[in-house]
Amino acid sequence: MSKLWVLGNGQLGAMLKHAGESLNVEVIPLEIDGDEPLALDVNDVVTAEREHWPDSATTEQLFQHPNFKSHRAFTVIADRLSEKQLFDRLALPTAPWSALSSDSTEVDLYAVLGSSIVLKRRSGGYDGKGQQWLRKSACDVIPQDWRGQAIAEQAIGFDEEISLVGARSALGELVFYPLTLNFHQEGILLASIAPLDRLQRYQAQAEAMLATLMTDLDYVGVLAMECFRVGDQLMINEVAPRVHNSGHWTMNGASMSQFSLHVSAVMGLPVHQPKTNDISVMINILGLEWEPRWISVPNATVYWYDKEVLSGRKLGHINLNIKSATELDASLAMLKGLLSERYDVMFDWLDKNLFKLS
Ligand code: ATP
Ligand code: MG
């Protein structure tokens, strides 16, 4: 059985492992702080489920392995500065930005980027962490210790947030899922819907952007691209060189999940264009205790990550796969009583976006 080592041992690693089982691949997710030498064979393959990691014997050994897939992409994408430079070099639309240097002033940044700015640390951020606003109206101040460590980005008044998950094989074959509509709250993904007929008109534009990136990086595996939609224009927010939360719906809504697709692509197994089934809704379970009644929600599949329950933490997700508005109503009516108040806005968002033609 061929072996795929995974840098990182969170829920994405667990889902990759599960996918590997039916593809005859032994997937081995690893804690990032290990200090024991690993028994890696030169023919084994290595991938990652995260883009930031501390230096440890394990991360060093995995990242330096000759079969660590898409090594360069990780180096470029892990730092928001080189990531933004990549978008600019490839002429891919992205939110206007500047590096936050030791002599940047608030006045200069407002002059270049407008009066509402998001400061983002160059590395280590996730789920909206490592970000803060810089607003002229609030007289915000640049934090001293962010200088040289962050970028400044124009706040975008987007219409909505969408993402594209795609994959490239070692032969250069490209496959894509349909665009996913995402709902974030305080920087954290709360829910996704895919596919949506009304997003089809942006599919070609998004695929061309992601194809440009994957080809330039000589990328192999699944890559996710998060975009803002502003009118008819897509603008890349960021990309992730891995399987992605906004692709979790593919576990129930597609003929091949993003996890199977990633394992196949990095292992040199055949990849094919996944077929999509009906409409999927993915809801993240954030900071809630395990609730067995989730399992009885019609059309739902529950994924629980078995992590310590902490406020706001991603602890699992629920996939709903539905054919009709009637089916959806039954699922949502029951789910409403089983989640917390923070989800009220999400239910409104789902109501607005599902089975509506506009
Ligand atoms: P992830 O968990 O996806 O890795 P992250 O912490 O790396 O998230 P981003 O994806 O850059 O951060 O930002 C999180 C969210 O914050 C975005 O999905 C969006 O809702 C909001 N946001 C980020 N940048 C901007 C911007 N320039 N203008 C407006 N909103 C923004
Ligand atoms: Mg993001």
Side-chain angles (χ1 to χ4, degrees):
M1 209 181 194
S2 46
K3 277 190 187 163
L4 173 62
W5 302 79
V6 183
L7 193 163
N9 191 17
Q11 66 267 22
L12 300 179
M15 292 185 264
L16 287 167
K17 182 175 162 64
H18 183 69
E21 280 159 15
S22 47
L23 293 168
N24 198 28
V25 177
E26 185 186 356
V27 178
I28 311 161
L30 290 166
E31 296 283 355
I32 47 179
D33 52 3
D35 51 12
E36 294 293 317
L38 305 164
L40 253 72
D41 188 85
V42 69
N43 295 314
D44 290 348
V45 177
V46 187
T47 188
E49 55 130 48
R50 51 192 296 149
E51 53 267 49
H52 304 114
W53 50 77
D55 287 332
S56 73
T58 295
T59 57
E60 176 73 11
Q61 196 183 346
L62 292 177
F63 195 49
Q64 296 314 328
H65 191 278
N67 284 340
F68 185 103
K69 294 294 168 184
S70 310
H71 193 284
R72 188 164 71 85
F74 277 84
T75 313
V76 174
I77 294 170
D79 182 340
R80 284 192 192 271
L81 180 66
S82 44
E83 184 186 21
K84 282 291 212 180
Q85 286 166 338
L86 172 73
F87 300 153
D88 287 355
R89 179 171 64 75
L90 297 174
L92 295 169
T94 187
W97 66 284
S98 315
L100 195 65
S101 66
S102 54
D103 52 4
S104 302
T105 66
E106 290 81 1
V107 174
D108 291 346
L109 291 178
Y110 294 138
V112 179
L113 300 173
S115 54
S116 196
I117 289 172
V118 192
L119 301 179
K120 299 184 174 183
R121 291 195 67 87
R122 285 171 53 179
S123 67
Y126 67 99
D127 290 347
K129 297 183 178 71
Q131 298 195 8
Q132 70 177 64
W133 286 97
L134 190 70
R135 286 155 309 192
K136 200 172 184 178
S137 60
C139 300
D140 291 331
V141 176
I142 300 170
Q144 275 308 326
D145 56 343
W146 282 41
R147 292 175 181 281
Q149 307 291 325
I151 62 161
E153 208 177 87
Q154 183 178 96
I156 303 297
F158 50 78
D159 292 300
E160 56 193 5
E161 293 190 76
I162 59 185
S163 59
L164 183 69
V165 176
R168 184 171 176 273
S169 73
L171 300 173
E173 301 155 299
L174 300 170
V175 295
F176 302 96
Y177 291 102
L179 283 166
T180 304
L181 183 67
N182 298 314
F183 179 67
H184 292 86
Q185 195 181 56
E186 291 154 25
I188 306 182
L189 182 69
L190 210 53
S192 303
I193 307 172
L196 276 181
D197 286 348
R198 68 173 178 81
L199 294 184
Q200 267 174 24
R201 55 197 289 227
Y202 310 110
Q203 185 77 26
Q205 186 186 149
E207 287 186 8
M209 289 158 74
L210 188 50
T212 300
L213 276 166
M214 291 199 288
T215 307
D216 181 81
L217 292 166
D218 195 18
Y219 191 84
V220 175
V222 163
L223 189 82
M225 177 177 77
E226 296 180 48
C227 294
F228 301 131
R229 181 178 73 75
V230 183
D232 277 341
Q233 173 76 65
L234 300 183
M235 247 183 206
I236 306 181
N237 171 28
E238 58 170 1
V239 292
R242 54 171 170 80
V243 286
H244 192 258
N245 196 172
S246 71
H248 285 5
W249 65 267
T250 62
M251 297 170 88
N252 296 89
S255 56
M256 195 179 204
S257 76
Q258 62 164 347
F259 302 98
S260 299
L261 191 55
H262 186 70
V263 172
S264 300
V266 296
M267 297 309 290
L269 297 169
V271 298
H272 68 257
Q273 175 63 45
K275 209 169 132 289
T276 307
N277 316 314
D278 308 318
I279 291 196
S280 293
V281 175
M282 189 286 311
I283 298 171
N284 271 335
I285 301 168
L286 302 178
L288 297 176
E289 295 286 345
W290 165 248
E291 167 54 81
R293 284 177 295 171
W294 289 326
I295 302 168
S296 55
V297 171
N299 315 300
T301 310
V302 184
Y303 299 87
W304 185 249
Y305 309 153
D306 197 22
K307 299 199 293 194
E308 189 193 350
V309 177
L310 297 174
S311 169
R313 188 178 200 190
K314 286 178 186 169
L315 298 164
H317 70 273
I318 298 176
N319 280 347
L320 299 173
N321 193 249
I322 58 226
K323 282 196 166 56
S324 67
T326 326
E327 267 188 15
L328 179 72
D329 287 345
S331 304
L332 295 184
M334 180 162 177
L335 204 51
K336 248 182 203 164
L338 300 175
L339 297 172
S340 60
E341 271 178 10
R342 86 173 282 176
Y343 287 87
D344 290 352
V345 279
M346 179 207 73
F347 283 108
D348 292 345
W349 177 82
L350 289 176
D351 194 46
K352 198 175 91 197
N353 284 290
L354 281 159
F355 299 107
K356 299 275 187 315
L357 295 175
S358 60

